[in-house]
Amino acid sequence: MRLRVTTDQPWDVAADVLVIPIVGEPAFDGPLGEIDRRASGELKALVAFGELREKRFTSSLAASGGVRAARLLTISAGVAGDVDREVVVRIGAATMHRLAGRHATSIAVWLEPLAAALDGGAEAVAGLVARGVVEGSFDPRTLYLDAVPAAPPVIDELVLVAPAAADVPALTRAAERGVIMGEGANLARSLSNRAANDVSPEVLAEEAYTLARKHGLWIDVIGPDKATELGMGMFMAVGKGSDNPPRMIVMRSGKKGELDAAGRHLAIIGKGVCFDSGGISIKPAERMEEMKMDKTGACTVIAAIATVARLAPGTPLLAVAPAVENMPGPHSSRPGDIVKALNGKWVDIINTDAEGRLILGDAMTYAERLGATHLVDVATLTGAVSRALGDLVTGAFGSDPAFTGEVLAAGARAGERYWQLPLVDEYRTEMESWYGDFVNTGGAEGGLVKSGLFLREFATKPWVHLDIAGTAYYRKAKPWAARGASGASHATLVELALAGAAPA
Ligand code: BES
Ligand code: MN
Ligand code: ZN
């Protein structure tokens, strides 16, 4: 896809579709009035007809009359005060979904209405819209099918129509970075959407190898023998139940233990359960097919380190993705099994379905051994977080207020929503084991908090846990996204790592 930033008037830009963001009630006293006049009053007529509305993500297609683009597409962003970075990304993405099945090869997006509503102005909007257009062109059905009815169109050219005073080279750079961010999210989504008979831990490791080679990243993949020798007892307890052997995938940019410009060696750690049947504590059949998505955290950190390598090569960053299949069978761990974690603690496996925390705990210890000073894990960890926060807000836990603040600030820059949950110290006593140091599941009350408390046992450095079980994938299509993996938290991890990139 070619990118072009222009300061021409929106009505002078050639494209198959001119995209007109509508903020608040359409106001025809400015340039929108000029577009309407040139389009022979078509937009005002749509308002009168009740077709062009203020409600966010509603849209209308119109003939363009004397406007140079072949068609007009209005897309509503909601009231001005509510236009944030997330909305701007989704306006770009919703545009592509609205055009699904349509024959468009070039689109032009008029930035001005969004730039007026967002702090950061046209430059921020250019990056976010470009990212959104790329993310909105993603359709997971093309992973397996040759022909997909009504997929978003393949665009050859994206034109960003900037205000007259805009710094065109700066906007172009921002848009190029936005495209790379969007491609990274889509990479995470395409890995995540793949079926468990297609992506085993071994295949995920091969995909990581391919990316490492492509982007000049260091990579080490630890198989079951080495993991056992190292003492990754929790990781192996989950991984040994499947015929598809586990893989601890470790990738790095920069040098081992090297501090970044923010004075830290960041590790991003992603849960890679290629299929979560629950193991011996087996899950009910209903919606078990969704558990192929339980590797999304791993896919996200693998994609994020590749994105960082593209945007700021050499930035110190470690990615660790423990990949397993959680299966029942003669080799599986049983409830009541007691295993020794890599950090030396004895863990009493009460429920084999609380497997994510087991593999993450060992991965966190390992990341610290490799020199990480700050840890962020991303995991589809609990059904409870999706019941509490739904599919639009990721749950966050943190052990260190300053670092948690930095992660949440990166989330805000990325246009992704988080809600911080408390680590209630008192509940830790309910996690104590009689036979070992602690159990992997306490009572159901406060189960979400307890999942965080369990993970905290494996962090001696500032650590943040992002529970994406609700946000990792959409059960139904959204106006801005296909059903399936959403890419959630990829942009946050990239923004966080880039805060440690050397100044350009
Ligand atoms: N992978 C699941 C969590 C999950 C549930 C993700 C629904 C996405 C949608 C996780 O491994 C799990 O099974 N968690 C259990 C924990 C319980 C046994 C303490 C849960 O949430 O029920
Ligand atoms: Mn589970
Ligand atoms: Zn799981």
Side-chain angles (χ1 to χ4, degrees):
M1 184 183 76
R2 277 172 289 123
L3 256 182
R4 186 157 68 84
V5 176
T6 177
T7 53
D8 289 350
Q9 294 292 353
W11 48 82
D12 287 333
V13 177
D16 291 333
V17 181
L18 173 66
V19 180
I20 304 170
I22 304 289
V23 176
E25 255 181 69
F28 291 103
D29 52 353
L32 188 63
E34 180 62 21
I35 294 174
D36 178 63
R37 202 181 56 73
R38 290 175 185 247
S40 316
E42 188 63 24
L43 297 181
K44 276 185 184 155
L46 286 172
V47 173
F49 186 54
E51 177 77 8
L52 201 175
R53 290 174 293 139
E54 204 181 323
K55 186 174 152 48
R56 183 176 291 156
F57 302 130
T58 57
S59 57
S60 56
L61 261 176
S64 62
V67 172
R68 189 150 170 227
R71 278 187 174 68
L72 309 180
L73 174 67
T74 70
I75 180 146
S76 298
V79 297
D82 291 345
V83 174
D84 60 12
R85 300 171 74 91
E86 181 181 71
V87 169
V88 174
V89 174
R90 288 181 180 171
I91 286 291
T95 295
M96 298 309 290
H97 276 271
R98 178 62 178 75
L99 293 173
R102 312 304 194 277
H103 303 282
T105 57
S106 64
I107 66 167
V109 182
W110 183 31
L111 302 183
E112 171 82 44
L114 297 170
L118 189 81
D119 297 338
E123 196 178 318
V125 168
L128 297 165
V129 164
R131 178 180 134 204
V133 165
V134 171
E135 291 181 10
S137 66
F138 181 81
D139 190 318
R141 294 171 300 173
T142 60
L143 283 170
Y144 295 107
L145 298 173
D146 293 329
V148 172
V154 177
I155 296 288
D156 296 328
E157 188 180 46
L158 171 62
V159 187
L160 297 174
V161 185
D167 177 349
V168 172
L171 261 68
T172 306
R173 273 194 305 275
E176 284 165 354
R177 297 171 76 81
V179 168
I180 291 173
M181 288 277 252
E183 288 172 349
N186 290 352
L187 169 64
R189 295 162 87 188
S190 45
L191 287 172
S192 177
N193 274 307
R194 280 167 66 185
N197 63 335
D198 177 9
V199 175
S200 60
E202 207 169 343
V203 169
L204 192 60
E206 277 162 23
E207 296 285 353
Y209 257 116
T210 306
L211 287 164
R213 256 196 307 276
K214 187 164 158 193
H215 299 294
L217 297 162
W218 177 89
I219 181 164
D220 183 29
V221 175
I222 299 171
D225 294 344
K226 173 93 184 295
T228 305
E229 191 189 309
L230 284 166
M232 295 178 170
M234 295 197 297
F235 173 66
M236 285 308 299
V238 182
K240 68 179 187 158
S242 171
D243 275 348
N244 291 318
R247 293 284 185 269
M248 181 73 77
I249 303 164
V250 187
M251 302 164 86
R252 190 195 292 120
S253 77
K255 297 182 198 67
K256 183 174 179 181
E258 182 189 0
L259 297 186
D260 65 15
R264 61 190 181 210
H265 188 77
L266 179 67
I268 53 178
I269 299 154
K271 171 177 173 180
V273 178
C274 292
F275 188 74
D276 182 11
S277 70
I280 297 296
S281 314
I282 199 159
K283 287 182 180 295
E286 201 185 336
R287 291 215 289 235
M288 203 203 271
E289 75 280 4
E290 289 182 9
M291 287 302 117
K292 68 176 179 179
M293 308 302 260
D294 212 21
K295 62 185 179 301
T296 305
C299 302
T300 307
V301 302
I302 291 168
I305 195 171
T307 304
V308 172
R310 293 180 70 189
L311 290 173
T315 301
L317 181 64
L318 187 65
V320 185
V324 297
E325 253 183 22
N326 189 21
M327 296 291 276
H331 305 290
S332 300
S333 293
R334 296 138 292 225
D337 280 4
I338 300 192
V339 299
K340 193 177 188 182
L342 182 59
N343 76 347
K345 299 283 180 187
W346 286 97
V347 174
D348 191 349
I349 301 177
I350 300 297
N351 188 321
T352 65
D353 197 13
E355 83 297 340
R357 58 196 78 180
L358 299 175
I359 65 171
L360 288 167
D362 278 346
M364 288 160 61
T365 304
Y366 195 64
E368 288 195 6
R369 289 210 186 155
L370 293 182
T373 64
H374 292 73
L375 311 174
V376 180
D377 80 80
V378 190
T380 48
L381 204 69
T382 65
V385 85
S386 86
R387 283 190 292 276
L389 301 178
D391 59 7
L392 297 179
V393 181
T394 295
F397 291 89
S399 65
D400 176 272
F403 183 54
T404 307
E406 285 177 47
V407 175
L408 296 178
R413 289 198 297 282
E416 297 191 301
R417 260 186 281 178
Y418 294 90
W419 190 261
Q420 196 180 341
L421 299 154
L423 290 161
V424 185
D425 279 315
E426 289 89 332
Y427 300 165
R428 198 189 164 286
T429 54
E430 291 174 49
M431 304 287 291
E432 278 163 9
S433 160
W434 193 75
Y435 295 99
D437 288 298
F438 29 81
V439 295
N440 73 330
T441 55
E445 301 80 13
L448 178 51
V449 171
K450 287 171 185 167
S451 71
L453 289 172
F454 183 90
L455 288 175
R456 190 179 64 177
E457 295 294 328
F458 302 92
T460 70
K461 303 276 159 56
W463 152 84
V464 169
H465 162 55
L466 304 177
D467 191 340
I468 57 168
T471 50
Y473 59 97
Y474 297 132
R475 292 203 165 113
K476 290 191 304 196
K478 300 285 188 189
W480 64 87
R483 171 182 157 170
S486 66
S489 80
H490 170 272
T492 299
L493 297 179
V494 173
E495 287 288 353
L496 181 67
L498 290 181

